[in-house]
Amino acid sequence: MSSKKKPSDAPVWQLKITLKDSSPPIWRRILVAGDTSLAKLHRILQTVMGWTDSHLHQFMIDRRYYGVPDPEFGNETEDERRVKLVEVVHGEKDRFLYEYDFGDGWSHQILVEKIAPKEEGKYYPVCVAGKRSCPPEDCGGIWGYQNFLEAISDPKHPEHESMTEWIGARFDPEAFKLDWINQQLRGVK
């Protein structure tokens, strides 16, 4: 008997993830199985957005919080490992929030655009579209990111030198590398 896990027959959910307050918008469109756990969805979101999973996170769905429970913070957070997307999000046009890095406050709106049967021979999760680069970690949230962009684009900006040194390589806010994201998604468990 093979120990290989059988692929899920769950319908595929098309989700659009938009980084709130980003202008111009930073977004991704992904396809995931509806029976994906919220813990795995977190890892998928980290990959497609370009975050490094260095901070706390949570999902907010129907006024309930899902994440990694910590008794130090009370019992309000339900364990994301025990909850599947299809169990808490009701269907097409539903919206929910994903927050990453409570200090910087990266808030993502997730919209269920459509639910469809799984296509034979297709790999899920997959990113099918998106726009713009993810902001660098620890840049101070969306407002700090705007300041960062101003600083790196203007050699006369008082923070230009420190910001370009901090970011290391050249940063292109318009970059979106679909093939690279999908290669990384293949490793998400």
PDB file of all heavy atoms in Angstrom, residues 90-109:
ATOM      1  N   HIS A  90     -17.987  31.239   3.685  1.00  0.00           N
ATOM      2  CA  HIS A  90     -19.214  30.619   3.198  1.00  0.00           C
ATOM      3  C   HIS A  90     -19.321  30.455   1.691  1.00  0.00           C
ATOM      4  O   HIS A  90     -20.062  29.601   1.233  1.00  0.00           O
ATOM      5  CB  HIS A  90     -20.415  31.384   3.746  1.00  0.00           C
ATOM      6  CG  HIS A  90     -20.324  31.534   5.234  1.00  0.00           C
ATOM      7  ND1 HIS A  90     -20.445  30.470   6.099  1.00  0.00           N
ATOM      8  CD2 HIS A  90     -20.063  32.602   6.007  1.00  0.00           C
ATOM      9  CE1 HIS A  90     -20.286  30.879   7.342  1.00  0.00           C
ATOM     10  NE2 HIS A  90     -20.053  32.180   7.314  1.00  0.00           N
ATOM     11  N   GLY A  91     -18.633  31.265   0.914  1.00  0.00           N
ATOM     12  CA  GLY A  91     -18.739  31.086  -0.522  1.00  0.00           C
ATOM     13  C   GLY A  91     -18.312  32.311  -1.301  1.00  0.00           C
ATOM     14  O   GLY A  91     -17.673  33.230  -0.773  1.00  0.00           O
ATOM     15  N   GLU A  92     -18.664  32.318  -2.563  1.00  0.00           N
ATOM     16  CA  GLU A  92     -18.283  33.400  -3.465  1.00  0.00           C
ATOM     17  C   GLU A  92     -18.740  34.758  -2.937  1.00  0.00           C
ATOM     18  O   GLU A  92     -19.813  34.872  -2.345  1.00  0.00           O
ATOM     19  CB  GLU A  92     -18.855  33.145  -4.862  1.00  0.00           C
ATOM     20  CG  GLU A  92     -18.219  31.952  -5.542  1.00  0.00           C
ATOM     21  CD  GLU A  92     -18.765  31.687  -6.935  1.00  0.00           C
ATOM     22  OE1 GLU A  92     -19.665  32.423  -7.397  1.00  0.00           O
ATOM     23  OE2 GLU A  92     -18.285  30.729  -7.569  1.00  0.00           O
ATOM     24  N   LYS A  93     -17.902  35.725  -3.147  1.00  0.00           N
ATOM     25  CA  LYS A  93     -18.107  37.132  -2.755  1.00  0.00           C
ATOM     26  C   LYS A  93     -17.873  37.385  -1.265  1.00  0.00           C
ATOM     27  O   LYS A  93     -17.954  38.519  -0.810  1.00  0.00           O
ATOM     28  CB  LYS A  93     -19.483  37.671  -3.173  1.00  0.00           C
ATOM     29  CG  LYS A  93     -19.799  37.477  -4.641  1.00  0.00           C
ATOM     30  CD  LYS A  93     -18.796  38.137  -5.547  1.00  0.00           C
ATOM     31  CE  LYS A  93     -19.099  37.862  -7.012  1.00  0.00           C
ATOM     32  NZ  LYS A  93     -17.914  37.652  -7.813  1.00  0.00           N
ATOM     33  N   ASP A  94     -17.608  36.336  -0.475  1.00  0.00           N
ATOM     34  CA  ASP A  94     -17.254  36.537   0.931  1.00  0.00           C
ATOM     35  C   ASP A  94     -15.896  37.225   1.017  1.00  0.00           C
ATOM     36  O   ASP A  94     -15.029  37.023   0.158  1.00  0.00           O
ATOM     37  CB  ASP A  94     -17.186  35.202   1.677  1.00  0.00           C
ATOM     38  CG  ASP A  94     -18.519  34.794   2.267  1.00  0.00           C
ATOM     39  OD1 ASP A  94     -19.527  35.459   1.975  1.00  0.00           O
ATOM     40  OD2 ASP A  94     -18.539  33.806   3.017  1.00  0.00           O
ATOM     41  N   ARG A  95     -15.744  38.013   2.064  1.00  0.00           N
ATOM     42  CA  ARG A  95     -14.482  38.714   2.318  1.00  0.00           C
ATOM     43  C   ARG A  95     -14.058  38.425   3.755  1.00  0.00           C
ATOM     44  O   ARG A  95     -14.898  38.293   4.636  1.00  0.00           O
ATOM     45  CB  ARG A  95     -14.658  40.218   2.172  1.00  0.00           C
ATOM     46  CG  ARG A  95     -15.025  40.670   0.797  1.00  0.00           C
ATOM     47  CD  ARG A  95     -15.391  42.159   0.783  1.00  0.00           C
ATOM     48  NE  ARG A  95     -15.981  42.535  -0.470  1.00  0.00           N
ATOM     49  CZ  ARG A  95     -15.293  43.012  -1.505  1.00  0.00           C
ATOM     50  NH1 ARG A  95     -14.014  43.213  -1.400  1.00  0.00           N
ATOM     51  NH2 ARG A  95     -15.900  43.321  -2.634  1.00  0.00           N
ATOM     52  N   PHE A  96     -12.740  38.371   3.945  1.00  0.00           N
ATOM     53  CA  PHE A  96     -12.202  38.252   5.291  1.00  0.00           C
ATOM     54  C   PHE A  96     -10.827  38.903   5.319  1.00  0.00           C
ATOM     55  O   PHE A  96     -10.302  39.316   4.279  1.00  0.00           O
ATOM     56  CB  PHE A  96     -12.183  36.797   5.772  1.00  0.00           C
ATOM     57  CG  PHE A  96     -11.385  35.834   4.941  1.00  0.00           C
ATOM     58  CD1 PHE A  96     -10.120  35.419   5.337  1.00  0.00           C
ATOM     59  CD2 PHE A  96     -11.920  35.302   3.764  1.00  0.00           C
ATOM     60  CE1 PHE A  96      -9.403  34.504   4.593  1.00  0.00           C
ATOM     61  CE2 PHE A  96     -11.202  34.389   3.009  1.00  0.00           C
ATOM     62  CZ  PHE A  96      -9.935  33.989   3.422  1.00  0.00           C
ATOM     63  N   LEU A  97     -10.285  39.038   6.532  1.00  0.00           N
ATOM     64  CA  LEU A  97      -9.012  39.744   6.696  1.00  0.00           C
ATOM     65  C   LEU A  97      -7.913  38.809   7.163  1.00  0.00           C
ATOM     66  O   LEU A  97      -8.161  37.854   7.914  1.00  0.00           O
ATOM     67  CB  LEU A  97      -9.151  40.880   7.706  1.00  0.00           C
ATOM     68  CG  LEU A  97     -10.062  42.026   7.326  1.00  0.00           C
ATOM     69  CD1 LEU A  97     -10.175  43.015   8.479  1.00  0.00           C
ATOM     70  CD2 LEU A  97      -9.575  42.727   6.074  1.00  0.00           C
ATOM     71  N   TYR A  98      -6.712  39.129   6.725  1.00  0.00           N
ATOM     72  CA  TYR A  98      -5.495  38.463   7.175  1.00  0.00           C
ATOM     73  C   TYR A  98      -4.551  39.575   7.597  1.00  0.00           C
ATOM     74  O   TYR A  98      -4.260  40.467   6.799  1.00  0.00           O
ATOM     75  CB  TYR A  98      -4.904  37.643   6.025  1.00  0.00           C
ATOM     76  CG  TYR A  98      -3.514  37.110   6.288  1.00  0.00           C
ATOM     77  CD1 TYR A  98      -3.304  36.052   7.176  1.00  0.00           C
ATOM     78  CD2 TYR A  98      -2.411  37.652   5.637  1.00  0.00           C
ATOM     79  CE1 TYR A  98      -2.024  35.564   7.398  1.00  0.00           C
ATOM     80  CE2 TYR A  98      -1.136  37.160   5.857  1.00  0.00           C
ATOM     81  CZ  TYR A  98      -0.944  36.113   6.736  1.00  0.00           C
ATOM     82  OH  TYR A  98       0.321  35.617   6.959  1.00  0.00           O
ATOM     83  N   GLU A  99      -4.130  39.547   8.847  1.00  0.00           N
ATOM     84  CA  GLU A  99      -3.208  40.566   9.345  1.00  0.00           C
ATOM     85  C   GLU A  99      -1.875  39.914   9.649  1.00  0.00           C
ATOM     86  O   GLU A  99      -1.825  38.845  10.271  1.00  0.00           O
ATOM     87  CB  GLU A  99      -3.759  41.232  10.598  1.00  0.00           C
ATOM     88  CG  GLU A  99      -2.881  42.386  11.060  1.00  0.00           C
ATOM     89  CD  GLU A  99      -3.447  43.130  12.264  1.00  0.00           C
ATOM     90  OE1 GLU A  99      -4.382  42.626  12.908  1.00  0.00           O
ATOM     91  OE2 GLU A  99      -2.921  44.210  12.550  1.00  0.00           O
ATOM     92  N   TYR A 100      -0.819  40.576   9.204  1.00  0.00           N
ATOM     93  CA  TYR A 100       0.539  40.079   9.418  1.00  0.00           C
ATOM     94  C   TYR A 100       1.372  41.190  10.031  1.00  0.00           C
ATOM     95  O   TYR A 100       1.302  42.331   9.592  1.00  0.00           O
ATOM     96  CB  TYR A 100       1.145  39.634   8.077  1.00  0.00           C
ATOM     97  CG  TYR A 100       2.603  39.275   8.170  1.00  0.00           C
ATOM     98  CD1 TYR A 100       3.015  38.194   8.948  1.00  0.00           C
ATOM     99  CD2 TYR A 100       3.561  40.016   7.501  1.00  0.00           C
ATOM    100  CE1 TYR A 100       4.347  37.874   9.049  1.00  0.00           C
ATOM    101  CE2 TYR A 100       4.898  39.691   7.594  1.00  0.00           C
ATOM    102  CZ  TYR A 100       5.291  38.619   8.376  1.00  0.00           C
ATOM    103  OH  TYR A 100       6.626  38.296   8.484  1.00  0.00           O
ATOM    104  N   ASP A 101       2.164  40.858  11.023  1.00  0.00           N
ATOM    105  CA  ASP A 101       3.050  41.788  11.733  1.00  0.00           C
ATOM    106  C   ASP A 101       2.216  42.858  12.427  1.00  0.00           C
ATOM    107  O   ASP A 101       1.939  43.920  11.876  1.00  0.00           O
ATOM    108  CB  ASP A 101       4.069  42.416  10.781  1.00  0.00           C
ATOM    109  CG  ASP A 101       5.075  43.310  11.499  1.00  0.00           C
ATOM    110  OD1 ASP A 101       4.908  43.581  12.704  1.00  0.00           O
ATOM    111  OD2 ASP A 101       6.030  43.753  10.842  1.00  0.00           O
ATOM    112  N   PHE A 102       1.817  42.566  13.647  1.00  0.00           N
ATOM    113  CA  PHE A 102       0.924  43.463  14.375  1.00  0.00           C
ATOM    114  C   PHE A 102       1.549  44.830  14.619  1.00  0.00           C
ATOM    115  O   PHE A 102       0.841  45.814  14.781  1.00  0.00           O
ATOM    116  CB  PHE A 102       0.479  42.833  15.689  1.00  0.00           C
ATOM    117  CG  PHE A 102      -0.240  41.517  15.511  1.00  0.00           C
ATOM    118  CD1 PHE A 102      -0.257  40.595  16.539  1.00  0.00           C
ATOM    119  CD2 PHE A 102      -0.888  41.192  14.338  1.00  0.00           C
ATOM    120  CE1 PHE A 102      -0.916  39.383  16.396  1.00  0.00           C
ATOM    121  CE2 PHE A 102      -1.551  39.986  14.172  1.00  0.00           C
ATOM    122  CZ  PHE A 102      -1.559  39.077  15.217  1.00  0.00           C
ATOM    123  N   GLY A 103       2.882  44.918  14.635  1.00  0.00           N
ATOM    124  CA  GLY A 103       3.552  46.209  14.808  1.00  0.00           C
ATOM    125  C   GLY A 103       3.410  47.072  13.563  1.00  0.00           C
ATOM    126  O   GLY A 103       3.007  48.237  13.637  1.00  0.00           O
ATOM    127  N   ASP A 104       3.761  46.510  12.406  1.00  0.00           N
ATOM    128  CA  ASP A 104       3.627  47.254  11.156  1.00  0.00           C
ATOM    129  C   ASP A 104       2.183  47.277  10.670  1.00  0.00           C
ATOM    130  O   ASP A 104       1.778  48.172   9.942  1.00  0.00           O
ATOM    131  CB  ASP A 104       4.537  46.665  10.078  1.00  0.00           C
ATOM    132  CG  ASP A 104       5.988  47.132  10.193  1.00  0.00           C
ATOM    133  OD1 ASP A 104       6.302  47.893  11.132  1.00  0.00           O
ATOM    134  OD2 ASP A 104       6.798  46.728   9.344  1.00  0.00           O
ATOM    135  N   GLY A 105       1.414  46.268  11.058  1.00  0.00           N
ATOM    136  CA  GLY A 105      -0.013  46.247  10.735  1.00  0.00           C
ATOM    137  C   GLY A 105      -0.319  46.034   9.265  1.00  0.00           C
ATOM    138  O   GLY A 105      -1.124  46.759   8.688  1.00  0.00           O
ATOM    139  N   TRP A 106       0.287  45.012   8.655  1.00  0.00           N
ATOM    140  CA  TRP A 106      -0.019  44.708   7.256  1.00  0.00           C
ATOM    141  C   TRP A 106      -1.355  43.983   7.202  1.00  0.00           C
ATOM    142  O   TRP A 106      -1.464  42.824   7.579  1.00  0.00           O
ATOM    143  CB  TRP A 106       1.075  43.846   6.640  1.00  0.00           C
ATOM    144  CG  TRP A 106       2.416  44.501   6.625  1.00  0.00           C
ATOM    145  CD1 TRP A 106       3.501  44.148   7.371  1.00  0.00           C
ATOM    146  CD2 TRP A 106       2.831  45.615   5.830  1.00  0.00           C
ATOM    147  NE1 TRP A 106       4.555  44.982   7.088  1.00  0.00           N
ATOM    148  CE2 TRP A 106       4.178  45.886   6.147  1.00  0.00           C
ATOM    149  CE3 TRP A 106       2.194  46.413   4.887  1.00  0.00           C
ATOM    150  CZ2 TRP A 106       4.900  46.918   5.556  1.00  0.00           C
ATOM    151  CZ3 TRP A 106       2.907  47.441   4.292  1.00  0.00           C
ATOM    152  CH2 TRP A 106       4.242  47.679   4.619  1.00  0.00           C
ATOM    153  N   SER A 107      -2.377  44.660   6.737  1.00  0.00           N
ATOM    154  CA  SER A 107      -3.719  44.103   6.679  1.00  0.00           C
ATOM    155  C   SER A 107      -4.067  43.782   5.227  1.00  0.00           C
ATOM    156  O   SER A 107      -3.895  44.622   4.341  1.00  0.00           O
ATOM    157  CB  SER A 107      -4.714  45.112   7.260  1.00  0.00           C
ATOM    158  OG  SER A 107      -5.979  44.535   7.360  1.00  0.00           O
ATOM    159  N   HIS A 108      -4.523  42.568   5.014  1.00  0.00           N
ATOM    160  CA  HIS A 108      -4.860  42.080   3.673  1.00  0.00           C
ATOM    161  C   HIS A 108      -6.339  41.754   3.614  1.00  0.00           C
ATOM    162  O   HIS A 108      -6.845  41.025   4.469  1.00  0.00           O
ATOM    163  CB  HIS A 108      -4.086  40.803   3.356  1.00  0.00           C
ATOM    164  CG  HIS A 108      -2.611  40.906   3.542  1.00  0.00           C
ATOM    165  ND1 HIS A 108      -2.023  40.951   4.790  1.00  0.00           N
ATOM    166  CD2 HIS A 108      -1.606  40.961   2.638  1.00  0.00           C
ATOM    167  CE1 HIS A 108      -0.702  41.024   4.642  1.00  0.00           C
ATOM    168  NE2 HIS A 108      -0.430  41.036   3.352  1.00  0.00           N
ATOM    169  N   GLN A 109      -7.030  42.275   2.615  1.00  0.00           N
ATOM    170  CA  GLN A 109      -8.416  41.875   2.384  1.00  0.00           C
ATOM    171  C   GLN A 109      -8.396  40.703   1.418  1.00  0.00           C
ATOM    172  O   GLN A 109      -7.735  40.763   0.381  1.00  0.00           O
ATOM    173  CB  GLN A 109      -9.236  43.004   1.782  1.00  0.00           C
ATOM    174  CG  GLN A 109     -10.664  42.562   1.512  1.00  0.00           C
ATOM    175  CD  GLN A 109     -11.505  43.672   0.975  1.00  0.00           C
ATOM    176  OE1 GLN A 109     -12.078  44.420   1.735  1.00  0.00           O
ATOM    177  NE2 GLN A 109     -11.565  43.779  -0.340  1.00  0.00           N
TER     178      GLN A 109
END
